[in-house]
Amino acid sequence: MVTTPDENPQGTPLAAPAEPTASTTASTTTPGAPATPAPPAPQAAPPAPEAAGTPSRELRAALAGVRSEVGKAVVGQDSAVTSLLIALLCSGHVLLEGVPGVAKTLLVRALGASLDLSTKRVQFTPDLMPGDVTGSLVYDARTAEFSFREGPVFTNLLLADEINRTPPKTQASLLEAMEERQVSVDGTPRPLPDPFVVIATQNPVEHEGTYPLPEAQLDRFLLKVVLPVPEREQEIEVLARHAAGFDPRDLGAAGVRAVAGREQLAAARAEVRQVQVAPEVLGYAVDLCRATRRSPSLSLGVSPRGATALLATSRAWAWLSGRSYVTPDDVKALAHPTLRHRVQLRPEAELEGVTAESVLTTVLATVPVPR
């Protein structure tokens, strides 16, 4: 499963699109939709230019190569890799949730290496201060002046490890960075590098000594990706690699190399912004979000920001699928990872065993799909 980290209502992983090879770009498959045929082969040299609005095969192949590179270090998390690519294409942030030991940190490091992006990691703890993340003014006795010392937030990929272990004051220090792409210290705004993506992790099985993220902060994350425990065959592959000498701290020895960079990512973002969305599909996305606000099981439905996030992720998935337009199936495929963290269950619904996933599944089944 390569595009969304979701599971279908029956609990089985969604089917993944075929992975392009280095020499050709394979067609991708939208979860729940028929396969999209691969684009026609290029003309003989000199090649004919791409039609206006058509996703670039070269750019898609470069980003597809990222999955192959990350796969040299991480086994069984193709879906999470593609979700992170969607976040990069949308300039959005990601909340990673998974039990310890499913390669959350390694995944982010390998992604940064394959895209030649700077990566920094912050271990969030109860005593972490906002200045430890954003940076602070430091007094220089030699010059008798204050100078700004950048914090780890000044990077392309910021891994906020166990973000729910730090108090709300420090959690809030990321809000301006996530929304405005800048940090203000002593009244002076300082822009962050481009691209800038926060990838925050949290442990779903340990709640003692944690500070749950408030709903307003959860809404700032474009996607919530749930990392599953690998299947038996995948776990055997993990052990085989370690038995053969794999060192997760040395990605270069594992063969991970940069196959794309900032220029390709910026060009891909520009193409994603050109993906067309019909009025009927826009209405479908809005109807899904509005249906969550009327659900009797929810005390908080999806906000208008969530609707715009669903539009953005659907466009990115359509582009990765090789199309210049969004279909209702694209919206359905990204509904769970885009909306699951934006809804809040009523206490009585939780007692009855209702989950956010089941509510979203019901909404997807009941809201009419445009034809």
Side-chain angles (χ1 to χ4, degrees):
M1 47 183 194
V2 302
T3 309
T4 62
D6 278 351
E7 295 185 347
N8 63 22
Q10 288 72 36
T12 56
L14 293 169
E19 181 167 346
T21 62
S23 59
T24 180
T25 304
S27 63
T28 52
T29 305
T30 303
T36 303
Q43 302 294 325
E50 300 274 357
T54 301
S56 167
R57 292 189 290 270
E58 182 179 350
L59 285 176
R60 288 175 55 231
L63 292 185
V66 170
R67 287 179 49 236
S68 300
E69 292 302 310
V70 175
K72 296 177 181 178
V74 181
V75 178
Q77 301 296 357
D78 285 345
S79 173
V81 177
T82 307
S83 295
L84 292 176
L85 286 176
I86 288 176
L88 282 167
L89 290 172
C90 300
S91 300
H93 309 288
V94 180
L95 183 62
L96 286 180
E97 186 174 282
V99 298
V102 290
K104 296 187 291 291
T105 302
L106 181 60
L107 173 64
V108 177
R109 290 179 51 237
L111 179 69
S114 62
L115 286 169
D116 195 23
L117 300 176
S118 62
T119 305
K120 292 182 181 178
R121 175 181 178 271
V122 179
Q123 180 63 52
F124 279 71
T125 57
D127 60 347
L128 194 72
M129 298 299 292
D132 297 331
V133 179
T134 61
S136 57
L137 294 176
V138 178
Y139 181 73
D140 189 341
R142 292 175 298 178
T143 62
E145 294 180 348
F146 286 92
S147 60
F148 178 68
R149 180 176 296 172
E150 293 184 349
V153 75
F154 286 86
T155 186
N156 296 126
L157 300 180
L158 176 66
L159 176 59
D161 207 4
E162 295 188 300
I163 190 174
N164 57 335
R165 286 202 173 277
T166 199
K169 181 178 180 179
T170 306
Q171 292 177 7
S173 67
L174 281 175
L175 293 181
E176 181 187 12
M178 293 170 66
E179 190 68 21
E180 308 296 335
R181 263 66 178 184
Q182 68 178 24
V183 168
S184 296
V185 177
D186 196 29
T188 302
R190 293 173 169 85
L192 296 172
D194 183 43
F196 171 72
V197 172
V198 173
I199 304 173
T201 72
Q202 64 180 15
N203 186 341
V205 297
E206 191 174 356
H207 301 289
E208 185 176 351
T210 62
Y211 303 83
L213 297 177
E215 288 74 15
Q217 189 167 350
L218 285 172
D219 204 37
R220 304 294 179 101
F221 288 96
L222 181 74
L223 297 168
K224 179 181 178 181
V225 179
V226 179
L227 272 67
V229 176
E231 301 291 339
R232 181 176 184 274
E233 293 75 13
Q234 296 169 338
E235 199 163 356
I236 290 174
E237 173 64 19
V238 171
L239 296 186
R241 291 187 182 188
H242 280 266
F246 171 72
D247 183 359
R249 290 172 291 275
D250 189 355
L251 294 178
V256 179
R257 60 186 179 87
V259 294
R262 293 173 178 81
E263 295 77 11
Q264 289 93 337
L265 190 57
R269 284 166 158 180
E271 289 195 1
V272 169
R273 289 192 292 268
Q274 300 302 314
V275 173
Q276 301 298 309
V277 189
E280 295 80 9
V281 178
L282 288 175
Y284 179 59
V286 169
D287 290 342
L288 288 176
C289 296
R290 292 179 67 86
T292 64
R293 301 170 203 163
R294 299 190 298 267
S295 173
S297 299
L298 299 179
S299 60
L300 178 68
V302 177
S303 69
R305 178 188 288 159
T308 61
L310 183 57
L311 169 64
T313 56
S314 300
R315 294 173 88 178
W317 170 234
W319 183 87
L320 286 171
S321 301
R323 283 180 281 102
S324 59
Y325 57 91
V326 177
T327 68
D329 285 315
D330 298 328
V331 177
K332 294 173 69 175
L334 273 299
H336 279 270
T338 308
L339 306 180
R340 55 161 63 112
H341 56 294
R342 304 175 192 271
V343 299
Q344 185 176 16
L345 290 169
R346 295 185 183 276
E348 56 270 26
E350 283 191 273
L351 291 174
E352 294 174 0
V354 178
T355 64
E357 302 288 344
S358 63
V359 172
L360 291 176
T361 298
T362 300
V363 167
L364 288 170
T366 54
V367 173
V369 180
R371 300 297 179 186

mmCIF file of all heavy atoms in Angstrom, residues 173-211:
data_model
loop_
_atom_site.group_PDB
_atom_site.id
_atom_site.type_symbol
_atom_site.label_atom_id
_atom_site.label_comp_id
_atom_site.label_asym_id
_atom_site.label_seq_id
_atom_site.Cartn_x
_atom_site.Cartn_y
_atom_site.Cartn_z
ATOM 1 N N SER A 173 5.095 26.051 20.515
ATOM 2 C CA SER A 173 6.198 26.758 19.858
ATOM 3 C C SER A 173 6.315 26.381 18.386
ATOM 4 O O SER A 173 6.934 27.104 17.601
ATOM 5 C CB SER A 173 7.510 26.454 20.576
ATOM 6 O OG SER A 173 7.875 25.089 20.420
ATOM 7 N N LEU A 174 5.721 25.251 18.015
ATOM 8 C CA LEU A 174 5.776 24.814 16.615
ATOM 9 C C LEU A 174 4.646 25.401 15.771
ATOM 10 O O LEU A 174 4.698 25.318 14.541
ATOM 11 C CB LEU A 174 5.705 23.286 16.537
ATOM 12 C CG LEU A 174 6.993 22.523 16.836
ATOM 13 C CD1 LEU A 174 6.724 21.032 16.836
ATOM 14 C CD2 LEU A 174 8.065 22.863 15.818
ATOM 15 N N LEU A 175 3.617 25.968 16.405
ATOM 16 C CA LEU A 175 2.436 26.384 15.646
ATOM 17 C C LEU A 175 2.759 27.444 14.611
ATOM 18 O O LEU A 175 2.321 27.359 13.457
ATOM 19 C CB LEU A 175 1.346 26.879 16.606
ATOM 20 C CG LEU A 175 0.732 25.813 17.521
ATOM 21 C CD1 LEU A 175 -0.337 26.423 18.403
ATOM 22 C CD2 LEU A 175 0.144 24.678 16.689
ATOM 23 N N GLU A 176 3.503 28.474 14.996
ATOM 24 C CA GLU A 176 3.850 29.518 14.027
ATOM 25 C C GLU A 176 4.711 28.952 12.912
ATOM 26 O O GLU A 176 4.524 29.265 11.733
ATOM 27 C CB GLU A 176 4.587 30.669 14.707
ATOM 28 C CG GLU A 176 4.943 31.793 13.729
ATOM 29 C CD GLU A 176 5.821 32.872 14.346
ATOM 30 O OE1 GLU A 176 6.337 32.652 15.456
ATOM 31 O OE2 GLU A 176 5.995 33.923 13.707
ATOM 32 N N ALA A 177 5.666 28.087 13.276
ATOM 33 C CA ALA A 177 6.528 27.489 12.260
ATOM 34 C C ALA A 177 5.726 26.654 11.273
ATOM 35 O O ALA A 177 5.955 26.697 10.060
ATOM 36 C CB ALA A 177 7.600 26.630 12.925
ATOM 37 N N MET A 178 4.755 25.894 11.775
ATOM 38 C CA MET A 178 3.965 25.027 10.910
ATOM 39 C C MET A 178 3.040 25.818 9.996
ATOM 40 O O MET A 178 2.843 25.457 8.834
ATOM 41 C CB MET A 178 3.152 24.051 11.762
ATOM 42 C CG MET A 178 4.001 23.041 12.507
ATOM 43 S SD MET A 178 3.062 22.086 13.729
ATOM 44 C CE MET A 178 1.966 21.153 12.669
ATOM 45 N N GLU A 179 2.466 26.896 10.504
ATOM 46 C CA GLU A 179 1.471 27.632 9.724
ATOM 47 C C GLU A 179 2.081 28.738 8.880
ATOM 48 O O GLU A 179 1.722 28.916 7.720
ATOM 49 C CB GLU A 179 0.432 28.235 10.682
ATOM 50 C CG GLU A 179 -0.791 28.811 9.978
ATOM 51 C CD GLU A 179 -1.642 27.733 9.329
ATOM 52 O OE1 GLU A 179 -1.532 26.562 9.736
ATOM 53 O OE2 GLU A 179 -2.398 28.059 8.404
ATOM 54 N N GLU A 180 3.020 29.496 9.468
ATOM 55 C CA GLU A 180 3.568 30.670 8.778
ATOM 56 C C GLU A 180 4.922 30.420 8.134
ATOM 57 O O GLU A 180 5.446 31.288 7.436
ATOM 58 C CB GLU A 180 3.688 31.842 9.763
ATOM 59 C CG GLU A 180 2.413 32.161 10.533
ATOM 60 C CD GLU A 180 1.293 32.618 9.627
ATOM 61 O OE1 GLU A 180 1.598 33.124 8.534
ATOM 62 O OE2 GLU A 180 0.115 32.468 10.013
ATOM 63 N N ARG A 181 5.527 29.264 8.400
ATOM 64 C CA ARG A 181 6.864 28.954 7.876
ATOM 65 C C ARG A 181 7.874 30.004 8.316
ATOM 66 O O ARG A 181 8.748 30.419 7.545
ATOM 67 C CB ARG A 181 6.839 28.879 6.350
ATOM 68 C CG ARG A 181 6.721 27.481 5.787
ATOM 69 C CD ARG A 181 5.421 26.834 6.113
ATOM 70 N NE ARG A 181 5.308 25.510 5.519
ATOM 71 C CZ ARG A 181 4.229 24.761 5.599
ATOM 72 N NH1 ARG A 181 3.178 25.186 6.240
ATOM 73 N NH2 ARG A 181 4.207 23.564 5.060
ATOM 74 N N GLN A 182 7.746 30.445 9.557
ATOM 75 C CA GLN A 182 8.683 31.390 10.113
ATOM 76 C C GLN A 182 8.697 31.247 11.629
ATOM 77 O O GLN A 182 7.820 30.619 12.219
ATOM 78 C CB GLN A 182 8.312 32.827 9.749
ATOM 79 C CG GLN A 182 7.029 33.315 10.407
ATOM 80 C CD GLN A 182 6.693 34.755 10.075
ATOM 81 O OE1 GLN A 182 7.129 35.273 9.049
ATOM 82 N NE2 GLN A 182 5.936 35.410 10.925
ATOM 83 N N VAL A 183 9.727 31.824 12.259
ATOM 84 C CA VAL A 183 9.852 31.838 13.709
ATOM 85 C C VAL A 183 10.082 33.274 14.136
ATOM 86 O O VAL A 183 10.935 33.968 13.571
ATOM 87 C CB VAL A 183 11.035 30.949 14.173
ATOM 88 C CG1 VAL A 183 11.350 31.199 15.639
ATOM 89 C CG2 VAL A 183 10.721 29.486 13.941
ATOM 90 N N SER A 184 9.310 33.738 15.098
ATOM 91 C CA SER A 184 9.460 35.102 15.602
ATOM 92 C C SER A 184 10.109 35.052 16.979
ATOM 93 O O SER A 184 9.588 34.433 17.900
ATOM 94 C CB SER A 184 8.098 35.803 15.704
ATOM 95 O OG SER A 184 7.526 35.959 14.417
ATOM 96 N N VAL A 185 11.263 35.682 17.089
ATOM 97 C CA VAL A 185 11.989 35.778 18.348
ATOM 98 C C VAL A 185 12.314 37.241 18.586
ATOM 99 O O VAL A 185 12.894 37.905 17.712
ATOM 100 C CB VAL A 185 13.280 34.931 18.329
ATOM 101 C CG1 VAL A 185 14.055 35.105 19.641
ATOM 102 C CG2 VAL A 185 12.958 33.468 18.099
ATOM 103 N N ASP A 186 11.921 37.760 19.751
ATOM 104 C CA ASP A 186 12.129 39.156 20.110
ATOM 105 C C ASP A 186 11.494 40.082 19.066
ATOM 106 O O ASP A 186 12.050 41.145 18.730
ATOM 107 C CB ASP A 186 13.620 39.453 20.253
ATOM 108 C CG ASP A 186 13.896 40.753 20.987
ATOM 109 O OD1 ASP A 186 13.071 41.134 21.837
ATOM 110 O OD2 ASP A 186 14.921 41.402 20.685
ATOM 111 N N GLY A 187 10.330 39.654 18.535
ATOM 112 C CA GLY A 187 9.593 40.486 17.597
ATOM 113 C C GLY A 187 10.105 40.468 16.174
ATOM 114 O O GLY A 187 9.545 41.138 15.298
ATOM 115 N N THR A 188 11.141 39.695 15.913
ATOM 116 C CA THR A 188 11.715 39.642 14.563
ATOM 117 C C THR A 188 11.369 38.314 13.899
ATOM 118 O O THR A 188 11.762 37.249 14.401
ATOM 119 C CB THR A 188 13.242 39.799 14.614
ATOM 120 O OG1 THR A 188 13.572 41.029 15.253
ATOM 121 C CG2 THR A 188 13.827 39.778 13.202
ATOM 122 N N PRO A 189 10.614 38.333 12.789
ATOM 123 C CA PRO A 189 10.309 37.068 12.094
ATOM 124 C C PRO A 189 11.507 36.578 11.295
ATOM 125 O O PRO A 189 12.203 37.369 10.635
ATOM 126 C CB PRO A 189 9.143 37.456 11.175
ATOM 127 C CG PRO A 189 9.316 38.919 10.928
ATOM 128 C CD PRO A 189 9.971 39.492 12.152
ATOM 129 N N ARG A 190 11.753 35.288 11.367
ATOM 130 C CA ARG A 190 12.878 34.681 10.639
ATOM 131 C C ARG A 190 12.338 33.526 9.808
ATOM 132 O O ARG A 190 11.814 32.555 10.354
ATOM 133 C CB ARG A 190 13.947 34.199 11.628
ATOM 134 C CG ARG A 190 14.634 35.343 12.363
ATOM 135 C CD ARG A 190 15.557 34.847 13.464
ATOM 136 N NE ARG A 190 16.392 35.927 13.970
ATOM 137 C CZ ARG A 190 16.017 36.771 14.915
ATOM 138 N NH1 ARG A 190 14.807 36.651 15.460
ATOM 139 N NH2 ARG A 190 16.821 37.724 15.318
ATOM 140 N N PRO A 191 12.435 33.631 8.476
ATOM 141 C CA PRO A 191 11.850 32.591 7.610
ATOM 142 C C PRO A 191 12.579 31.267 7.740
ATOM 143 O O PRO A 191 13.791 31.214 7.974
ATOM 144 C CB PRO A 191 12.009 33.178 6.203
ATOM 145 C CG PRO A 191 13.146 34.151 6.315
ATOM 146 C CD PRO A 191 13.088 34.708 7.705
ATOM 147 N N LEU A 192 11.816 30.193 7.571
ATOM 148 C CA LEU A 192 12.361 28.848 7.608
ATOM 149 C C LEU A 192 12.719 28.391 6.202
ATOM 150 O O LEU A 192 12.232 28.949 5.215
ATOM 151 C CB LEU A 192 11.339 27.892 8.228
ATOM 152 C CG LEU A 192 10.992 28.157 9.691
ATOM 153 C CD1 LEU A 192 9.824 27.271 10.130
ATOM 154 C CD2 LEU A 192 12.195 27.930 10.585
ATOM 155 N N PRO A 193 13.567 27.383 6.077
ATOM 156 C CA PRO A 193 13.936 26.891 4.734
ATOM 157 C C PRO A 193 12.715 26.349 4.000
ATOM 158 O O PRO A 193 11.691 26.005 4.596
ATOM 159 C CB PRO A 193 14.941 25.775 5.032
ATOM 160 C CG PRO A 193 15.413 26.011 6.431
ATOM 161 C CD PRO A 193 14.277 26.664 7.151
ATOM 162 N N ASP A 194 12.838 26.288 2.683
ATOM 163 C CA ASP A 194 11.802 25.701 1.843
ATOM 164 C C ASP A 194 12.393 24.514 1.096
ATOM 165 O O ASP A 194 13.429 24.658 0.440
ATOM 166 C CB ASP A 194 11.271 26.742 0.854
ATOM 167 C CG ASP A 194 10.131 26.200 -0.003
ATOM 168 O OD1 ASP A 194 9.252 25.522 0.564
ATOM 169 O OD2 ASP A 194 10.158 26.424 -1.224
ATOM 170 N N PRO A 195 11.793 23.339 1.199
ATOM 171 C CA PRO A 195 10.555 23.020 1.914
ATOM 172 C C PRO A 195 10.787 22.877 3.414
ATOM 173 O O PRO A 195 11.917 22.645 3.863
ATOM 174 C CB PRO A 195 10.144 21.689 1.303
ATOM 175 C CG PRO A 195 11.444 21.041 0.929
ATOM 176 C CD PRO A 195 12.330 22.170 0.471
ATOM 177 N N PHE A 196 9.697 23.001 4.175
ATOM 178 C CA PHE A 196 9.739 22.780 5.614
ATOM 179 C C PHE A 196 8.542 21.926 5.995
ATOM 180 O O PHE A 196 7.396 22.312 5.763
ATOM 181 C CB PHE A 196 9.700 24.104 6.379
ATOM 182 C CG PHE A 196 9.525 23.922 7.861
ATOM 183 C CD1 PHE A 196 10.562 23.420 8.643
ATOM 184 C CD2 PHE A 196 8.316 24.235 8.484
ATOM 185 C CE1 PHE A 196 10.406 23.236 10.007
ATOM 186 C CE2 PHE A 196 8.160 24.056 9.844
ATOM 187 C CZ PHE A 196 9.197 23.558 10.609
ATOM 188 N N VAL A 197 8.815 20.770 6.564
ATOM 189 C CA VAL A 197 7.757 19.838 6.966
ATOM 190 C C VAL A 197 8.061 19.314 8.358
ATOM 191 O O VAL A 197 9.180 18.868 8.634
ATOM 192 C CB VAL A 197 7.641 18.655 5.969
ATOM 193 C CG1 VAL A 197 6.678 17.599 6.493
ATOM 194 C CG2 VAL A 197 7.179 19.146 4.605
ATOM 195 N N VAL A 198 7.071 19.395 9.226
ATOM 196 C CA VAL A 198 7.172 18.805 10.556
ATOM 197 C C VAL A 198 6.580 17.400 10.504
ATOM 198 O O VAL A 198 5.439 17.216 10.071
ATOM 199 C CB VAL A 198 6.424 19.646 11.610
ATOM 200 C CG1 VAL A 198 6.406 18.916 12.958
ATOM 201 C CG2 VAL A 198 7.073 21.015 11.761
ATOM 202 N N ILE A 199 7.376 16.425 10.911
ATOM 203 C CA ILE A 199 6.906 15.043 10.997
ATOM 204 C C ILE A 199 6.967 14.662 12.472
ATOM 205 O O ILE A 199 8.047 14.430 13.022
ATOM 206 C CB ILE A 199 7.759 14.099 10.138
ATOM 207 C CG1 ILE A 199 7.780 14.581 8.687
ATOM 208 C CG2 ILE A 199 7.224 12.676 10.216
ATOM 209 C CD1 ILE A 199 8.729 13.803 7.794
ATOM 210 N N ALA A 200 5.815 14.665 13.121
ATOM 211 C CA ALA A 200 5.740 14.409 14.559
ATOM 212 C C ALA A 200 5.319 12.974 14.800
ATOM 213 O O ALA A 200 4.469 12.426 14.087
ATOM 214 C CB ALA A 200 4.748 15.374 15.216
ATOM 215 N N THR A 201 5.897 12.351 15.804
ATOM 216 C CA THR A 201 5.545 10.975 16.143
ATOM 217 C C THR A 201 4.910 10.936 17.524
ATOM 218 O O THR A 201 5.172 11.784 18.378
ATOM 219 C CB THR A 201 6.780 10.051 16.140
ATOM 220 O OG1 THR A 201 7.613 10.346 17.277
ATOM 221 C CG2 THR A 201 7.586 10.228 14.867
ATOM 222 N N GLN A 202 4.067 9.952 17.722
ATOM 223 C CA GLN A 202 3.521 9.702 19.048
ATOM 224 C C GLN A 202 3.252 8.218 19.197
ATOM 225 O O GLN A 202 2.979 7.516 18.223
ATOM 226 C CB GLN A 202 2.272 10.534 19.316
ATOM 227 C CG GLN A 202 1.080 10.252 18.433
ATOM 228 C CD GLN A 202 -0.117 11.127 18.788
ATOM 229 O OE1 GLN A 202 0.007 12.111 19.495
ATOM 230 N NE2 GLN A 202 -1.280 10.766 18.291
ATOM 231 N N ASN A 203 3.349 7.761 20.445
ATOM 232 C CA ASN A 203 3.190 6.355 20.773
ATOM 233 C C ASN A 203 1.748 6.105 21.189
ATOM 234 O O ASN A 203 1.271 6.709 22.147
ATOM 235 C CB ASN A 203 4.159 5.995 21.904
ATOM 236 C CG ASN A 203 4.178 4.520 22.212
ATOM 237 O OD1 ASN A 203 3.254 3.787 21.864
ATOM 238 N ND2 ASN A 203 5.223 4.066 22.886
ATOM 239 N N PRO A 204 1.021 5.220 20.495
ATOM 240 C CA PRO A 204 -0.404 5.022 20.817
ATOM 241 C C PRO A 204 -0.657 4.121 22.016
ATOM 242 O O PRO A 204 -1.802 4.004 22.460
ATOM 243 C CB PRO A 204 -0.949 4.378 19.545
ATOM 244 C CG PRO A 204 0.212 3.589 19.019
ATOM 245 C CD PRO A 204 1.442 4.391 19.357
ATOM 246 N N VAL A 205 0.378 3.473 22.552
ATOM 247 C CA VAL A 205 0.148 2.486 23.610
ATOM 248 C C VAL A 205 0.637 2.950 24.972
ATOM 249 O O VAL A 205 0.475 2.255 25.959
ATOM 250 C CB VAL A 205 0.835 1.140 23.271
ATOM 251 C CG1 VAL A 205 0.244 0.552 22.009
ATOM 252 C CG2 VAL A 205 2.343 1.308 23.140
ATOM 253 N N GLU A 206 1.239 4.122 25.052
ATOM 254 C CA GLU A 206 1.762 4.605 26.322
ATOM 255 C C GLU A 206 1.256 6.020 26.552
ATOM 256 O O GLU A 206 1.596 6.941 25.814
ATOM 257 C CB GLU A 206 3.292 4.590 26.301
ATOM 258 C CG GLU A 206 3.913 4.836 27.668
ATOM 259 C CD GLU A 206 5.419 4.668 27.617
ATOM 260 O OE1 GLU A 206 5.949 4.289 26.561
ATOM 261 O OE2 GLU A 206 6.061 4.920 28.639
ATOM 262 N N HIS A 207 0.436 6.212 27.565
ATOM 263 C CA HIS A 207 -0.188 7.511 27.800
ATOM 264 C C HIS A 207 0.247 8.136 29.124
ATOM 265 O O HIS A 207 -0.064 9.295 29.377
ATOM 266 C CB HIS A 207 -1.714 7.372 27.782
ATOM 267 C CG HIS A 207 -2.235 6.830 26.496
ATOM 268 N ND1 HIS A 207 -2.232 7.547 25.315
ATOM 269 C CD2 HIS A 207 -2.767 5.615 26.180
ATOM 270 C CE1 HIS A 207 -2.742 6.820 24.346
ATOM 271 N NE2 HIS A 207 -3.076 5.639 24.835
ATOM 272 N N GLU A 208 0.971 7.412 29.954
ATOM 273 C CA GLU A 208 1.405 7.971 31.229
ATOM 274 C C GLU A 208 2.495 9.011 30.990
ATOM 275 O O GLU A 208 3.478 8.764 30.278
ATOM 276 C CB GLU A 208 1.938 6.858 32.133
ATOM 277 C CG GLU A 208 2.305 7.339 33.530
ATOM 278 C CD GLU A 208 2.739 6.200 34.430
ATOM 279 O OE1 GLU A 208 2.585 5.032 34.014
ATOM 280 O OE2 GLU A 208 3.223 6.480 35.541
ATOM 281 N N GLY A 209 2.330 10.179 31.594
ATOM 282 C CA GLY A 209 3.325 11.239 31.434
ATOM 283 C C GLY A 209 3.282 11.915 30.086
ATOM 284 O O GLY A 209 4.293 12.472 29.642
ATOM 285 N N THR A 210 2.151 11.880 29.421
ATOM 286 C CA THR A 210 2.022 12.530 28.113
ATOM 287 C C THR A 210 1.037 13.689 28.189
ATOM 288 O O THR A 210 0.237 13.786 29.112
ATOM 289 C CB THR A 210 1.558 11.539 27.037
ATOM 290 O OG1 THR A 210 0.259 11.035 27.395
ATOM 291 C CG2 THR A 210 2.526 10.371 26.896
ATOM 292 N N TYR A 211 1.124 14.555 27.185
ATOM 293 C CA TYR A 211 0.244 15.709 27.076
ATOM 294 C C TYR A 211 -0.437 15.637 25.712
ATOM 295 O O TYR A 211 0.146 16.054 24.704
ATOM 296 C CB TYR A 211 1.042 17.016 27.196
ATOM 297 C CG TYR A 211 1.846 17.134 28.466
ATOM 298 C CD1 TYR A 211 3.113 16.547 28.565
ATOM 299 C CD2 TYR A 211 1.359 17.826 29.566
ATOM 300 C CE1 TYR A 211 3.864 16.654 29.729
ATOM 301 C CE2 TYR A 211 2.096 17.945 30.733
ATOM 302 C CZ TYR A 211 3.352 17.353 30.805
ATOM 303 O OH TYR A 211 4.100 17.464 31.959
#
